[in-house]
Every structure is written in C-alpha cells, then in structure tokens.
Amino acid sequence: MALEIKILDYGDIELESSFLVLGRDCGRTRRVLTLGFLILGGPYPVVVDTGYRSNQIMETLGMRGLQYHEHMIENQLARHGVRMGDVRFVCHTHLHIDHAGKDDLFPMNTTVVVNRKELEYSVSGLMHPQYPAPDIKHLIDRLHTKSALRFLDLEITGPIELMPGVYCDAANAHTEGSMNIIVHTADGIATICGDVIYDFNDQIVTPFHEIHDWEPRTTGNHGTSKRAEKAAIKKLLSSSRYLLPVHDRPAKIEGGNVVGRLHDQVPGPIVQSLPQRNWFPA
C-alpha cells in the first residue's frame, strides 16, 4: 500500500493578521486552520503535530481558540479507523503552543520524535510564551521514560529515515529546531512543513506575480533570519510535489509554483486550480 497523508482538523485560531505574513493587514483579525497529519500505508500509523491543548491556553498569546468536540484528536483519528494506542510515532515539526498540546493523551509506548535543538530552544526563553509549561513539562516526563521520546540531530546528520518512505529533515526556519517530515507518496514527494509557510496566497502566489518574482514573503513570527526564512521556502518549492503547512490547506507544486490546492488528503483531488504564470508577456 502506498503512503498517503490524511488531514486532521484540530480546530481554528483567531489571531492578528501580520502574525501570519509580516506587515500584512496589521491590526486585522484572521481565522486560520490548525491541522495535523496522519501518515498511513506504512507498517504503522504516524501522527505529525497534535494541535493546541485547549481554547483557554490560546488566550495566553492573545489569540482565540475555536476547538470543539469533533476536533479532539481521538475523534479525528477515529475518522480513519485509528486509535490513540495504534500510533507508533508522534513527530513534531516544532513544539509551539498549537503543535504539541495533546502529546500527554498518547500512551508512553508511543514515541514522540523531536529535533533535539527544538527541545533546547523551547526552554531557552526565546519565543517563550509560545512554549507553554504543561506541554514542555510533559516532554520532560517522556525524556525519563524508556522509549517515550526520541531525539534527532538533523543539523548534523542530515535527513533521517523514520520508516520506509518517511524522512525527517531540518527546516532551518521558523524556530531554530523546526523540522520537515518528507513522505514519498505514489504521486511524488509530499513535505509536511509546519509553520515555515503560514499562507500560500499571501506569502507565495501573490508575491511571485510582483516585480520581485520568486521572492516569498516571510511570516511575522519567526526566530531565524529573514534570509533563512526565504531560503527555506524556496527549498520547499523546489523539492516537493506537495506542501502541507499546519495553518493552510495543502498545495500542489509544479516548477516551483503553486498550481493547485487540496483538501483532506495527499495525494488527493485538486479542489482549486491556479492559473499558470505568463512567463513571456506580449
């Protein structure tokens, strides 16, 4: 069975727009998705990111959580016939408040996989409010439990194969320890890219039609340099058939451009096609 990725809907967040794209619609509130991912077709199910702990915890960042019963992680997994205890690995693109809030619901024999630099970064005080104490303290409990936490050192090793067809690689953007999850599907490489990309239209599609084409816009929430952010996005666009961020629907990529949008699974049907660029205007 070929590997495929199912989208898990953990609810929405309302936040200030320029948090998503630097300088974009400052002062305006936007509502965005919070997604997780279920990788099926391998020897066991793998979950990538677990969403935020509760609506109340999002208020600590001045944001509004919109999470309801149907968004609970156990209910999202059940839609695909998977129970919490069936999951072998929980991988984290990074450990921010909206990505690692439900790890404590998984049994200790489910291994949480993180880039070591990300756990170090989470307790550095940099971007401090985005790493809430309950989430990080739970990971310390896992650190002291056999096989409950697995560290990667991706900046040194390069990509690491987690299971056949699934690789973890340093993202080199958003946070110092963020990682991408690369999945080899029957229709090409699909990369789960966390928050390296927040918004395809405002970061990539629209800017690529402007005078500085091929220059993506950075997010308004990053702990690395703007050069690193832009380079990381360009790398994703040049190396993947599909890109799956956490706060926007997946995109299909051709020739470094976003050409289509998907909805609930990758590979899957295109629900929105984007026009091809006019390379040689008359």
Side-chain angles (χ1 to χ4, degrees), residues 19-21 37 94 99 171 173-174 178 180 191-205 216-219 221 229-230 232-238 240 242-251 253 258 261:
F19 194 89
L20 301 171
V21 183
F37 308 94
H94 60 298
H99 293 258
H174 190 58
S178 286
N180 297 321
T191 302
I192 300 168
C193 56
D195 289 356
V196 178
I197 296 170
Y198 272 144
D199 183 291
F200 280 113
N201 186 67
D202 288 349
Q203 284 188 261
I204 298 167
V205 175
R217 292 197 181 102
T218 64
T219 76
N221 177 41
E229 296 291 308
K230 288 176 178 285
I233 294 171
K234 292 174 181 177
K235 180 179 178 181
L236 289 170
L237 290 168
S238 69
S240 303
Y242 299 98
L243 291 176
L244 298 89
V246 163
H247 298 294
D248 202 356
R249 288 290 175 186
I253 311 299
V258 177
R261 305 301 298 277

Side-chain angles (χ1 to χ4, degrees), residues 12-13 52-68 72 97 102 129 132 134:
D12 294 353
I13 299 172
Y52 54 92
R53 181 172 293 271
S54 66
N55 290 333
Q56 292 71 31
I57 204 166
M58 296 309 300
E59 295 175 3
T60 65
L61 293 182
M63 301 177 185
R64 182 186 179 203
L66 296 159
Q67 186 181 86
Y68 303 102
M72 296 298 104
I97 190 170
K102 298 291 180 70

Side-chain angles (χ1 to χ4, degrees), residues 3-113:
L3 294 176
E4 58 183 0
I5 305 170
K6 303 294 186 181
I7 309 301
L8 306 176
D9 182 358
Y10 296 145
D12 294 353
I13 299 172
E14 288 184 351
L15 72 170
E16 202 265 336
S17 180
S18 66
F19 194 89
L20 301 171
V21 183
L22 187 63
R24 178 79 174 182
D25 293 332
C26 297
R28 295 187 179 181
T29 298
R30 282 188 58 185
R31 181 168 174 167
V32 298
L33 304 160
T34 304
L35 305 178
F37 308 94
L38 174 64
I39 303 171
L40 297 175
Y44 31 69
V46 174
V47 166
V48 180
D49 286 350
T50 61
Y52 54 92
R53 181 172 293 271
S54 66
N55 290 333
Q56 292 71 31
I57 204 166
M58 296 309 300
E59 295 175 3
T60 65
L61 293 182
M63 301 177 185
R64 182 186 179 203
L66 296 159
Q67 186 181 86
Y68 303 102
H69 179 71
E70 65 267 24
H71 300 127
M72 296 298 104
I73 191 167
E74 59 270 30
N75 297 331
Q76 287 292 306
L77 290 174
R79 293 173 58 235
H80 305 286
V82 175
R83 298 170 299 178
M84 303 286 283
D86 297 333
V87 176
R88 178 65 187 89
F89 293 119
V90 170
C91 298
H92 282 301
T93 60
H94 60 298
L95 299 174
H96 273 172
I97 190 170
D98 49 342
H99 293 258
K102 298 291 180 70
D103 290 17
D104 55 357
L105 299 181
F106 286 89
M108 285 297 197
N109 60 3
T110 294
T111 303
V112 173
V113 181

Side-chain angles (χ1 to χ4, degrees), residues 108-243:
M108 285 297 197
N109 60 3
T110 294
T111 303
V112 173
V113 181
V114 298
N115 197 20
R116 189 190 309 270
K117 182 175 282 191
E118 179 62 13
L119 188 58
E120 294 173 348
Y121 189 70
S122 74
V123 297
S124 70
L126 299 167
M127 306 183 85
H128 162 66
Q130 298 191 54
Y131 292 104
D135 301 352
I136 304 306
K137 288 180 178 179
H138 171 71
L139 293 177
I140 301 305
D141 289 339
R142 285 187 173 271
L143 173 64
H144 293 282
T145 304
K146 181 176 173 57
S147 301
L149 186 66
R150 176 178 172 183
F151 288 121
L152 304 177
D153 294 288
L154 298 172
E155 298 80 11
I156 300 171
T157 64
I160 292 290
E161 186 176 40
L162 187 67
M163 69 179 195
V166 178
Y167 297 81
C168 301
D169 192 21
N172 298 313
H174 190 58
T175 68
E176 290 185 4
S178 286
M179 70 177 179
N180 297 321
I181 314 301
I182 300 166
V183 182
H184 289 250
T185 77
D187 194 38
I189 292 175
T191 302
I192 300 168
C193 56
D195 289 356
V196 178
I197 296 170
Y198 272 144
D199 183 291
F200 280 113
N201 186 67
D202 288 349
Q203 284 188 261
I204 298 167
V205 175
T206 296
F208 275 22
H209 285 78
E210 296 174 347
I211 189 167
H212 288 291
D213 58 352
W214 297 101
E215 273 300 294
R217 292 197 181 102
T218 64
T219 76
N221 177 41
H222 55 267
T224 61
S225 71
K226 291 176 177 59
R227 184 192 300 270
E229 296 291 308
K230 288 176 178 285
I233 294 171
K234 292 174 181 177
K235 180 179 178 181
L236 289 170
L237 290 168
S238 69
S239 61
S240 303
R241 177 75 163 173
Y242 299 98
L243 291 176

